[in-house]
Structures are given as structure tokens and as C-alpha cells.
Amino acid sequence: MIPNKNEMIAAYEARHGKELQKKLSAATVAVCGLGGLGSNISIALSRAGIGKLILIDFDKVDISNLHRQQYKANQIGLPKTEALSCNLSEIAPYTVVETHCVKITEENAVDLLSGADIICEAFDNPQAKAMLANTVLEKLPGKFYVGASGMAGIGSTNEIKTRRLSKYFYLCGDGVSEVGKSEGLFAARVMACAAHQAHTVIRILTGQYDV
């Protein structure tokens, strides 16, 4: 049986405290890219009781995604926005989910992201990462941006850290092991980086700005 909304809020408040949870419930977070990083970020934030998630990705679930991304075998072929939205509805039925099955570009990023309090970058393409960071920092001043750099390979998860590069720009990862330049992608290490990003979002929303 699915608990009602008041029961869910009470459960969050019991774990997080009423005032802290009020901030999380009022927040809107955009997740750009719904692969290994983005799908895990989204689930972590939904479990924390974030009020609204804006999910953006143009891709479909592929069998090659299943070893590290939060999708199911019976979802192969579905748009990632649709599949992840469905999975989140089972985990956190009262989180508002807005989906955009499109590729983020310099031209549409502002329209897609202007409603978010915090923007999470979860791409695996260096050019896309640079484009989004530059666009957000230049055209959406005052928006917090949480990016990622380096989570591939079998190095220690202790190498993954969060750095604050500027007032509004945070970067999570080891800064070295980019996709395609090491031994591959492993769920545990990707999830560790995603956890850094999700927890950075929570800290920002609760006024903890230092890493």
C-alpha cells in the first residue's frame, strides 16, 4: 500500500528534521543527463524528499546501460526520461517530476533550466560538460551548478572528492579518469561520484556551502 503524502512527509521529517525537510521539499533540482550519474543522482534526491526534479535526456535505455544505471531490463528501448520517471514514482510518489526528452544545447538550456534552484551536470561528453557549465554560469547567474569530472576505472573511491571552484560552481570526481580513458565504468565508482553530487545539492539547500 502506498502511504499518503502526509505520511511520507512525516517519515522524511523524522529522519531529517522538520526545518531541514521544509527546505528540501521546496527545492527544484535539474538533472542534465540520466545515465550512470544522473539516474543515481535523481534517485538519491528523490529519497531525500526533494520537492521537484527536472529530468533532461534525449537517449533511450540500452542493454549496455544496465550495469551501472538505475533502469530495469524490461525498460530497454524506453526513453530514459520515461523509464526513470516511472522508477521514481515507485520510490517517491509525491516528488514532482518534469521531463524533457531533448538534447540540451546552448540555445535551449536557459529555457529548460531557468526554473531550477540547482543544476546537476551528469554528461559523459567533455564538450557537452563545458557547454553547459559556460552557459549556466554566464546566462543563469546565481544558479548553483554541480558538475562531475572523473569517475571511471577501478581506482579507489576515496579519490573522488567534491571541490568548490567558485561561489556557485562545485565539481565532484577524481578530476582524472574521464570516460574512455581508463578501464571502463563500474557501478560502485559511478554511484560514489553521483552520491557526492546529490549530497552537495542537499548541503547547498540547507545552507552548507563549504565542502
Side-chain angles (χ1 to χ4, degrees), residues 87-176:
N87 295 344
L88 293 176
S89 72
E90 298 177 1
I91 294 168
Y94 304 108
T95 295
V96 177
V97 177
E98 175 184 320
T99 60
H100 298 275
C101 190
V102 296
K103 183 175 183 178
I104 301 180
T105 66
E106 190 173 352
E107 290 70 34
N108 66 14
V110 172
D111 286 339
L112 291 170
L113 302 173
S114 59
D117 302 304
I118 301 177
I119 296 155
C120 286
E121 172 269 305
F123 297 147
D124 57 11
N125 180 284
Q127 289 73 34
K129 288 174 178 288
M131 178 280 296
L132 190 63
N134 291 335
T135 300
V136 171
L137 295 173
E138 292 175 7
K139 298 182 180 180
L140 292 170
K143 299 283 188 186
F144 284 94
Y145 183 90
V146 182
S149 178
M151 78 293 302
I154 57 173
S156 171
T157 55
N158 293 332
E159 297 169 356
I160 294 174
K161 302 183 184 300
T162 301
R163 292 170 287 158
R164 189 182 186 186
L165 301 186
S166 66
K167 183 176 181 179
Y168 296 106
F169 188 7
Y170 294 76
L171 192 64
C172 305
D174 63 24
V176 177

Side-chain angles (χ1 to χ4, degrees), residues 171-183:
L171 192 64
C172 305
D174 63 24
V176 177
S177 57
E178 292 296 344
V179 177
K181 295 183 179 180
S182 64
E183 300 95 332

